[in-house]
Amino acid sequence: CRAMPAFDFWDIDEILAEQLEVTVRPEHAINGGGLLQPSGSGPVGKDLPAGTKVQVPFWLAQSLVRRNTATLELPTIYGAAAQEDLRHDPIVCRLGDKSHYYYEVGLRVAHLLKENQLAEDLFGGLQKRAAEIVQLLGNLGVMSTMQMSTLNQATAVFPCTLTRVEQDMYIGGREAESHFKQWTDRFGSYKMKASHLIDAPSAKRTRSGA
């Protein structure tokens, strides 16, 4: 089982990631929990009955789960079908549409639910998609023909499927390419010409035959 990534309380991305709505079921009645009712208009002071399905932000859900107050349902975006897609063809998965923080939340969900397979699928999918980003960018100083091709639709669509961390990787790679070009441009370029000494033997033969 892989270790769960550390949480940074002051990181704005961490805060935004944990706004994802998930479903929980209280293990017992929660005093004053009526405000969490699906309608969002539960009366103040009303209890939330045990077993009632409610949608709450992930930051609240994990707090309830850690206190053994509620159970977390596996979000659909991390369900069996999603895990299978990550295993077989993660490149075509539109993860960014599901959540900009798909990996970060997914690993925390896997930790809470002890879903080791989900964690492995997330890491495996990220590795394959990271390799695709590297291939898309090409080598430093060399234009990637893959990036310019309009025949490979999967490649053309791939940049639109990226999560936040993948976007950072992609943008970082392009910035590295730009900085590398600026560095090489400092040296200028020169056209090599043949030395005039190359003609010397030919001229000598001409004089000898005269």
Side-chain angles (χ1 to χ4, degrees), residues 136 143-151 155:
L136 188 65
M143 177 68 72
S144 173
T145 56
M146 183 179 177
Q147 182 178 0
M148 302 302 294
S149 174
T150 57
L151 299 178
T155 300

Side-chain angles (χ1 to χ4, degrees), residues 29 54 83 96 103 115 122 125 127 129 153 177 193 195-196 203 205 208:
V54 288
Q83 293 182 47
Y103 299 106
E115 287 276 353
L122 288 168
Q127 289 174 350
R129 287 169 65 88
Q153 292 300 318
E177 167 70 20
K193 297 181 179 180
S195 171
H196 67 278
R205 286 195 299 270
S208 298

Side-chain angles (χ1 to χ4, degrees), residues 98-119:
K98 297 179 180 180
S99 171
H100 290 303
Y101 305 95
Y102 188 81
Y103 299 106
E104 293 87 340
V105 176
L107 290 174
R108 287 178 170 81
V109 168
H111 176 74
L112 289 174
L113 298 180
K114 297 180 173 57
E115 287 276 353
N116 294 336
Q117 185 58 55
L118 172 59

Side-chain angles (χ1 to χ4, degrees), residues 25-82:
R25 289 176 180 267
E27 293 288 342
H28 48 77
I30 299 178
N31 294 333
L35 291 173
L36 300 176
Q37 291 284 2
S39 63
S41 58
V44 177
K46 183 179 179 181
D47 295 344
L48 180 68
T52 305
K53 272 189 178 183
V54 288
Q55 292 282 117
V56 298
F58 183 71
W59 63 266
L60 177 57
Q62 66 179 351
S63 177
L64 294 173
V65 172
R66 288 170 179 168
R67 289 175 170 80
N68 296 318
T69 304
T71 57
L72 172 68
E73 290 192 0
L74 181 65
T76 305
I77 60 176
Y78 302 110

Side-chain angles (χ1 to χ4, degrees), residues 148-170:
M148 302 302 294
S149 174
T150 57
L151 299 178
N152 191 337
Q153 292 300 318
T155 300
V157 173
F158 179 65
C160 301
T161 71
L162 304 181
T163 64
R164 179 59 182 267
V165 67
E166 291 169 339
Q167 288 176 354
D168 289 344
M169 293 168 60
Y170 182 66

